[in-house]
Amino acid sequence: MKGLLIDGQLVEAPRTTVSLNPTTGEVIDEAPDATVEQAEAAVKAARRAFDTTDWSTNVEFRIRCMNQLYEALVKHREELRELTIAEVGHPRVMTYGAALDVPIEIVKYYTELAAGYSFTEDLPETESHGMRHRRWVEKEAAGVVSAIIPYNYPTQIALAKVAPALAAGCTVILKGAPDTPLVTLALGEIIANETDIPAGVVNVITSPSVEVAEVLTSHPDVDMITFTGSTPVGRRIMEVASKTVKKVFLELGGKSALIMLDDADAGMVALVATMTICSHAGQGCAVTSRLLVPRERQDEVVEAIKGVLANIKVGNPADEDTYVGPLVSAKQREKVDAMVKRAVEAGATLAIGGEKIDPGFFYTPTILTNVDPDSEIAQDEVFGPVLAVIAYEGDDEAVEIANNSIFGLSGSVIGADDDRAIAVARRIRSGTISVNGGNWFAPDSPFGGYKQSGIGREMGVVGMEEFLERKTLAVLVR
């Protein structure tokens, strides 16, 4: 069993929870279930480390520690790969990208960014009352950060929060997801054992307890919250954080649309739509789970998708040729299955899929056609391999349907002409848009959403600046 990282020490908890392998449903290991007192101790340690050490001001030392973290992650890459496959259910092929290898590079990106970043900015001298004044802005660490992550991409999301926070000079309490605690605890072990990051700068806890989460979001010693998860939980965090007016970053739900323009190649649309909705069994907030197609081409595209699905393997994520692994839990699979059944009852047509596969928590890739754009399946996040196909008439209606959502996280447009596709993409109110298969995901690419998909941006330069405060100073020129 891995330990919690609190104030530089790996410690046990008086209680534990089990982590299940979603491929088999069997127990992998037990994980410590942090108490409220341990969560408070983690906050206290982070506060002390921020207030009494030079972590927040010693950029050179931070860079050295982050280089150590990057090297340690590279060193333990293969161990982390096998743990990620076993606990998260990521197919092996995905660990070479967004599930593991790209996230490790996030640490390198922010290490290099911090090394070249100017934490001061000069403003022009100004004259007031016959005197000259020199002015400048200093960019300072926001303080103690609570970082709360979900189960679906635990390494990527953890490092997209911890790395820029450390680069900015913050101290952190990282809370792993209840369904995937072991991956997050492994990061804590690496930090404790293989870096010179001072005690208290990074604390790592795991617990399914709501009370523990409330400590991290309500404690007066926490200056900032960075949260990735569902929109309902994000609303609750905003409510709790408002009592002490904390700085809040939220990356929340999505119901992103892929728009097929009337001149698009059906084969390309089918490939992009299928590979996206099947990625990590649809357990991604930025997944394009709505496919908007010209009404006269709906049958053509659905048949093309079926053809692509025939060549996609659903199975053991440890196998090199598997693309669709399991859902994270039996509970999540039941949720997905119930939403599909309700969609059919509401009038959608089940074109393919809609079946559970045992053992483990597998669900077949599912295509629903004749979907009402206002229905539950078209409006609510499923977090499973379920694609809702919606017919439209003309570009204006396609854009209207795409924007008919409380969310605005991602999206995609495919058409024969790049300029036309880009013009349509610019009308969609979403934080990221892929045009004709373009890939926006990288450490330097800001990620976040419009509307109820969140507040702020993660990754890129702005991803570090989320963790900075700006102080304007002026001195009289004598």
Side-chain angles (χ1 to χ4, degrees):
M1 182 179 72
K2 299 181 183 298
L4 307 170
L5 176 58
I6 300 176
D7 204 7
Q9 301 296 314
L10 294 170
V11 300
E12 297 180 356
R15 59 196 184 195
T16 62
T17 59
V18 296
S19 176
L20 300 181
N21 183 328
T23 301
T24 63
E26 298 174 351
V27 174
I28 301 172
D29 200 353
E30 293 184 348
D33 178 359
T35 64
V36 166
E37 292 75 19
Q38 287 177 315
E40 290 173 341
V43 173
K44 181 179 179 181
R47 183 81 265 165
R48 177 198 55 76
F50 186 82
D51 290 343
T52 66
T53 75
D54 69 346
W55 177 260
S56 66
T57 57
N58 193 336
V59 179
E60 184 177 343
F61 178 55
R62 297 204 302 266
I63 292 168
R64 178 163 69 83
C65 290
M66 291 184 68
N67 271 320
Q68 291 172 341
L69 176 57
Y70 174 71
E71 291 168 2
L73 290 170
V74 171
K75 174 184 173 183
H76 293 283
R77 186 197 308 265
E78 296 312 314
E79 300 160 54
L80 291 170
R81 193 182 314 282
E82 298 308 318
L83 180 58
T84 299
I85 293 167
E87 186 180 47
V88 189
H90 276 298
R92 185 174 297 278
V93 66
M94 289 196 65
T95 68
Y96 299 119
L100 181 62
D101 286 2
V102 172
I104 289 174
E105 295 306 309
I106 291 174
V107 179
K108 182 178 181 181
Y109 171 79
Y110 281 110
T111 304
E112 294 175 348
L113 178 62
Y117 188 81
S118 176
F119 288 89
T120 62
E121 177 185 347
D122 288 329
L123 300 175
E125 282 192 8
T126 187
E127 184 174 334
S128 177
H129 302 291
M131 294 177 285
R132 301 292 298 175
H133 304 266
R134 181 168 66 87
R135 303 173 302 147
W136 71 100
V137 176
E138 294 184 357
K139 303 169 190 178
E140 301 179 344
V144 175
V145 175
S146 287
I148 304 172
I149 65 171
Y151 70 80
N152 57 331
Y153 287 85
T155 301
Q156 189 272 321
I157 297 171
L159 294 178
K161 297 181 185 302
V162 172
L166 295 182
C170 295
T171 59
V172 182
I173 309 101
L174 172 65
K175 181 183 179 295
D179 286 315
T180 55
L182 301 179
V183 172
T184 306
L185 293 169
L187 295 178
E189 285 194 357
I190 289 172
I191 289 168
N193 294 331
E194 303 199 32
T195 76
D196 293 326
I197 294 175
V201 168
V202 179
N203 305 270
V204 181
I205 64 174
T206 55
S207 174
S209 164
V210 173
E211 291 76 18
V212 166
E214 292 270 325
V215 169
L216 300 187
T217 54
S218 65
H219 201 292
D221 282 341
V222 171
D223 299 299
M224 177 179 173
I225 302 164
T226 173
F227 169 77
T228 297
S230 72
T231 294
V233 176
R235 296 188 192 112
R236 173 60 181 162
I237 286 174
M238 285 189 74
E239 178 185 353
V240 173
S242 70
K243 295 176 183 178
T244 48
V245 196
K246 299 186 190 304
K247 192 172 185 178
V248 176
F249 167 86
L250 301 173
E251 193 274 282
L252 306 176
K255 193 66 184 179
S256 304
L258 189 167
I259 297 178
M260 172 190 180
L261 299 179
D262 56 16
D263 59 358
D265 178 73
M268 181 180 180
V269 172
L271 182 63
V272 171
T274 306
M275 300 303 282
T276 304
I277 199 64
C278 288
S279 175
H280 193 23
Q283 297 171 109
C285 50
V287 164
T288 44
S289 54
R290 293 181 294 159
L291 174 59
L292 280 50
V293 300
R295 190 173 303 278
E296 67 275 9
R297 300 192 65 187
Q298 181 175 221
D299 292 344
E300 172 194 3
V301 173
V302 171
E303 288 305 309
I305 291 173
K306 289 180 180 180
V308 176
L309 283 175
N311 295 305
I312 289 182
K313 178 182 174 181
V314 180
N316 188 341
D319 295 343
E320 293 281 358
D321 58 346
T322 293
Y323 190 74
V324 183
L327 294 170
V328 75
S329 66
K331 178 181 178 182
Q332 181 61 21
R333 185 170 70 169
E334 289 305 315
K335 175 202 169 187
V336 171
D337 189 52
M339 289 187 73
V340 170
K341 284 182 167 59
R342 289 197 298 271
V344 173
E345 291 170 1
T349 301
L350 181 63
I352 190 170
E355 299 175 352
K356 303 175 188 177
I357 304 174
D358 296 317
F361 311 130
F362 294 89
Y363 198 77
T364 55
T366 301
I367 309 300
L368 295 165
T369 62
N370 303 313
V371 171
D372 183 335
D374 293 320
S375 64
E376 178 195 40
I377 201 69
Q379 290 292 320
D380 292 352
E381 193 169 41
V382 179
F383 240 57
V386 179
L387 182 65
V389 181
I390 302 171
Y392 73 86
E393 302 282 352
D395 291 3
D396 289 345
E397 187 181 16
V399 171
E400 180 182 353
I401 293 171
N403 288 332
N404 176 29
S405 172
I406 65 169
F407 304 114
L409 188 58
S410 193
S412 183
V413 180
I414 297 178
D417 180 78
D418 282 352
D419 290 340
R420 179 189 173 198
I422 291 170
V424 171
R426 286 182 171 139
R427 297 172 64 188
I428 300 173
R429 291 185 54 76
S430 290
T432 55
I433 302 284
S434 167
V435 177
N436 286 332
N439 179 26
W440 46 261
F441 180 74
D444 63 350
S445 176
F447 175 67
Y450 289 25
K451 299 186 280 187
Q452 294 189 41
S453 282
I455 299 171
R457 293 294 181 270
E458 209 157 53
M459 301 202 294
V461 175
V462 69
M464 186 176 79
E465 292 180 337
E466 291 282 351
F467 296 95
L468 294 171
E469 294 281 12
R470 284 166 170 77
K471 178 184 291 181
T472 303
L473 297 94
V475 63
L476 185 64
V477 178
R478 296 180 182 275

